[in-house]
Amino acid sequence: MSKELNRLNDFFFKFLIGNEQNKNIALNFINAVLGTEESYFTDIIYLDKDEDPETIDSKQTRLDVKGRLNDGTIIELEMQALSDSNMSERSLYYWARMYGRLLKSGEDYKELKPAVSVIILGFEHLKDEVNWYNEYQLLNIESKKALTKDLRIIFLELPKLQLENKAKPDKLELWGAYFGRKLEDSVLKGDKDMASVLEAEFAFTADDVREWRYEQREKFLHDQASRDGALARADAALKEKLEENAQLKEDIKEQEARIKENDARIKEQEA
């Protein structure tokens, strides 16, 4: 691969985290995100084998990773590089769809298992939050107690990750540094788990077919970003024009009001 690999490319993410051969890497990442002991989650059964990165049309498919962990928890992992102002609503929608599919007809609600969405963002989305890790649950707004532990939506905003004053980043921060390229690979290799991640990345780049599919996905994402940018500029221009028209209408109303006042004064003087 002639250019530096874009680690935010979701086709690569699907290979790295959603590949049976890399199951140990996926579990390492999941344990780091969920804040559990390193060996808490010991297995994942992938539930999206119909979307295997080796066979999908990498230009169009939504490339997330879905799996069932050894305690029954259902997890969905997604890499989102392109800015989306509706990310919160989108994430809740996909979480609800995932949770809604857990029960089969006739099954009891007690059969439901926790469902977790983890969204890695290559942009800042939560403008009022300063931390790069933000988890959302269903909470009582007064007592702050959770209604249920079944709902967890976690955002990892890579641009907000700060490591300048960190003597020793924790496991999740190392993952963030890897995806966001905030530490040199030579530093990451000092951690045995991250060394395995870098080895998997090398295997990905050494495969000509994968590289071609990766490049196709890069082109698709670049084109999409260009379209989104053009639409955003068009929306901004339209909004500006509408604001100008609204101001013009206000100016006309004020002018008409002044004319009426003047006409009324003239009539009074004539009377």
Side-chain angles (χ1 to χ4, degrees):
M1 184 171 292
S2 57
K3 296 187 296 183
E4 184 178 72
L5 178 76
N6 176 16
R7 291 168 177 167
L8 305 187
N9 180 295
D10 51 3
F11 178 70
F12 168 67
F13 179 75
K14 180 80 170 182
F15 164 83
L16 184 67
I17 303 296
N19 189 324
E20 285 282 349
Q21 295 178 352
N22 297 331
K23 184 179 286 190
N24 288 338
I25 291 176
L27 290 168
N28 179 274
F29 176 66
I30 291 168
N31 278 309
V33 172
L34 299 186
T36 52
E37 294 295 328
E38 188 171 344
S39 61
Y40 184 84
F41 293 115
T42 58
D43 193 21
I44 179 172
I45 299 173
Y46 291 107
L47 304 177
D48 51 357
K49 293 182 180 180
D50 56 324
E51 298 175 6
D52 191 291
E54 302 298 333
T55 59
I56 58 174
D57 176 2
S58 61
K59 293 185 291 182
Q60 301 293 338
T61 306
R62 179 173 176 261
L63 301 179
D64 54 359
V65 177
K66 303 185 192 76
R68 179 183 291 110
L69 301 174
N70 50 282
D71 70 343
T73 296
I74 304 299
I75 192 165
E76 183 174 64
L77 305 145
E78 179 183 1
M79 175 67 76
Q80 184 69 25
L82 301 181
S83 180
D84 185 346
S85 60
N86 299 312
M87 199 69 224
S88 297
E89 293 79 8
R90 178 179 182 273
S91 300
L92 181 60
Y93 170 79
Y94 281 115
W95 177 90
R97 193 170 72 166
M98 173 175 60
Y99 193 64
R101 291 176 174 175
L102 294 183
L103 284 185
K104 296 179 182 178
S105 178
E107 287 186 332
D108 193 276
Y109 290 117
K110 67 181 180 181
E111 300 300 323
L112 287 167
K113 298 294 183 181
V116 183
S117 289
V118 179
I119 307 99
I120 309 165
L121 302 178
F123 56 94
E124 293 189 10
H125 169 62
L126 304 169
K127 303 303 182 183
D128 296 329
E129 303 293 345
V130 297
N131 295 325
W132 82 291
Y133 176 103
N134 289 285
E135 177 174 339
Y136 293 87
Q137 300 181 19
L138 283 176
L139 301 177
N140 182 302
I141 60 174
E142 294 294 335
S143 67
K144 309 303 180 186
K145 292 182 178 179
L147 176 66
T148 173
K149 295 182 179 180
D150 282 6
L151 167 61
R152 295 179 71 182
I153 298 177
I154 298 170
F155 292 101
L156 301 176
E157 297 174 278
L158 296 176
K160 292 181 181 178
L161 175 60
Q162 302 293 329
L163 297 175
E164 287 79 4
N165 299 320
K166 273 283 194 176
K168 186 178 180 180
D170 62 30
K171 186 66 70 175
L172 182 57
E173 288 169 335
L174 287 175
W175 271 103
Y178 168 76
F179 285 122
R181 290 190 178 276
K182 292 179 179 284
L183 289 176
E184 296 293 332
D185 288 356
S186 58
V187 177
L188 292 171
K189 285 179 181 178
D191 180 270
K192 62 180 180 62
D193 294 318
M194 299 313 297
S196 297
V197 173
L198 291 168
E199 289 176 5
E201 177 184 313
F202 179 79
F204 177 86
T205 59
D207 187 289
D208 291 340
V209 175
R210 290 195 192 110
E211 181 178 357
W212 181 82
R213 295 190 178 194
Y214 160 86
E215 293 292 350
Q216 292 298 304
R217 186 63 175 177
E218 279 288 279
K219 181 179 183 300
F220 170 74
L221 294 174
H222 182 270
D223 291 346
Q224 183 176 328
S226 298
R227 288 193 298 271
D228 291 346
L231 288 173
R233 289 190 293 273
D235 287 344
L238 177 60
K239 183 179 180 181
E240 183 178 357
K241 182 62 67 175
L242 290 174
E243 289 175 351
E244 289 176 355
N245 290 341
Q247 184 60 51
L248 181 61
K249 288 180 180 179
E250 288 297 321
D251 293 342
I252 291 173
K253 285 182 180 180
E254 290 179 5
Q255 188 173 5
E256 289 175 343
R258 286 195 295 269
I259 291 173
K260 287 181 179 180
E261 289 177 1
N262 289 335
D263 288 345
R265 281 196 295 268
I266 291 172
K267 287 180 180 180
E268 287 178 1
Q269 292 174 356
E270 291 177 346

